[in-house]
Amino acid sequence: MALDFAAGCVGGDFYSNEFCHPQVRLQVQNVNKPMYRGTFHCFQSIIRQESMLGLYKGIGSPMMGLTFINAIVFGVQGNTMRMLGRDTPLNQFLAGASAGAIQCVICCPMELAKTRMQMQGTGEKKSKRKMYKNSLDCLVRIYNKEGIRGINRGMVTTLVRETPGFGVYFLAYDVLTRSLGCEPEDPYMIPKLLFAGGMSGIASWLSTYPVDVIKSRLQADGVGGVYQYNGIMDCVRQSIQKEGWRVFTRGLTSTLLRAFPVNATTFATVTLFLMYMREGGECSIPDSEPPSVQLQPLQTQTQPTSM
């Protein structure tokens, strides 16, 4: 999930979270004294109070980890498909889930820094006192104060989100491209790829979004030195008690609005790039049905699949 192919921000995710202030701000705002009435009010408030640059707080962290996450996701997903041997929907899910789980090693600290940076200076055009200079400084300070455990805050919830999130992500794209008949000679292939990629991102986020709310709250907890939650279950219990079950949809609108175009562009771009870079790619997939599967060029350095 990231996907984005990175996650995340499931997401999977990471899923191009560079530009997603409304999501995090809405997820963690105090329900007793809410600053934002909804997604668009949050956008307006950030621009008015913190300027356009306020929307890009924490961008350094995703930029630092994007290459590594893409490499891990593609490498693990491809190698897992090769080990499993057959290109089936179940194997697509398992391969994606494996990729999502392993990339959490980088994704979790990166999202922690992003969340902390985005929460810094809320409502201020110029922060009077910056706790962190940048994403790297944020991680260093957290490590010096709390050690390895500190920079991996939210790891369990990240795993719970990314593992099924990436599985759903790759599974949905596989099923949609097969159903839509996305073949290289199809004149409507690009619109179909865009639709399949966008819907895959939405499906991934919907499958794990409640977990993302809890993850964001745990990673934002402690900003300013005040800790509110004792753990995952305590965070879930307090959130439901104070805000009801609707708490798990906070920020969902902004997430889905971003998920469709980002994932549509990503999947279509990668598919077309690999299709034209792979000269004379084989189109047959052994032991799979139907015998001629769409979009074989998406897989690179792996057993060809329908992705």
Side-chain angles (χ1 to χ4, degrees), residues 14 31 56 71 107 122 171 175 186 268 289:
F14 171 59
V31 67
Y56 294 91
C107 177
T122 300
L171 171 62
V175 170
D186 187 347
E289 291 291 342

Side-chain angles (χ1 to χ4, degrees), residues 235-253:
C235 180
V236 172
R237 181 182 58 80
Q238 288 194 43
S239 298
I240 294 176
Q241 280 184 350
K242 293 177 181 178
E243 305 169 57
W245 292 99
R246 289 186 63 185
V247 66
F248 297 119
T249 63
R250 283 191 175 275
L252 181 60
T253 301

Side-chain angles (χ1 to χ4, degrees), residues 119-175:
M119 294 304 297
Q120 181 172 255
T122 300
E124 300 176 0
K125 199 160 193 176
K126 284 190 176 182
S127 300
K128 298 176 182 177
R129 181 179 176 275
K130 286 187 177 181
M131 186 176 297
Y132 311 116
K133 297 177 182 177
N134 49 52
S135 297
L136 182 60
D137 179 62
C138 176
L139 289 176
V140 170
R141 287 177 178 271
I142 293 173
Y143 176 78
N144 290 336
K145 186 177 180 180
E146 305 175 50
I148 292 292
R149 186 175 180 179
I151 62 174
N152 286 298
R153 178 181 292 273
M155 178 63 79
V156 174
T157 46
T158 302
L159 276 167
V160 174
R161 183 195 70 178
E162 299 290 81
T163 302
F166 270 93
V168 171
Y169 191 54
F170 281 98
L171 171 62
Y173 189 71
D174 178 65
V175 170

Side-chain angles (χ1 to χ4, degrees), residues 145-218:
K145 186 177 180 180
E146 305 175 50
I148 292 292
R149 186 175 180 179
I151 62 174
N152 286 298
R153 178 181 292 273
M155 178 63 79
V156 174
T157 46
T158 302
L159 276 167
V160 174
R161 183 195 70 178
E162 299 290 81
T163 302
F166 270 93
V168 171
Y169 191 54
F170 281 98
L171 171 62
Y173 189 71
D174 178 65
V175 170
L176 285 170
T177 51
R178 289 175 187 267
S179 301
L180 294 171
C182 300
E183 299 179 353
E185 63 272 14
D186 187 347
Y188 300 105
M189 183 185 67
I190 293 179
K192 289 179 179 180
L193 290 178
L194 291 170
F195 178 77
M199 293 306 295
S200 299
I202 287 177
S204 178
W205 271 113
L206 288 175
S207 67
T208 58
Y209 192 78
V211 182
D212 186 67
V213 174
I214 300 302
K215 180 201 70 69
S216 294
R217 292 192 168 203
L218 288 172

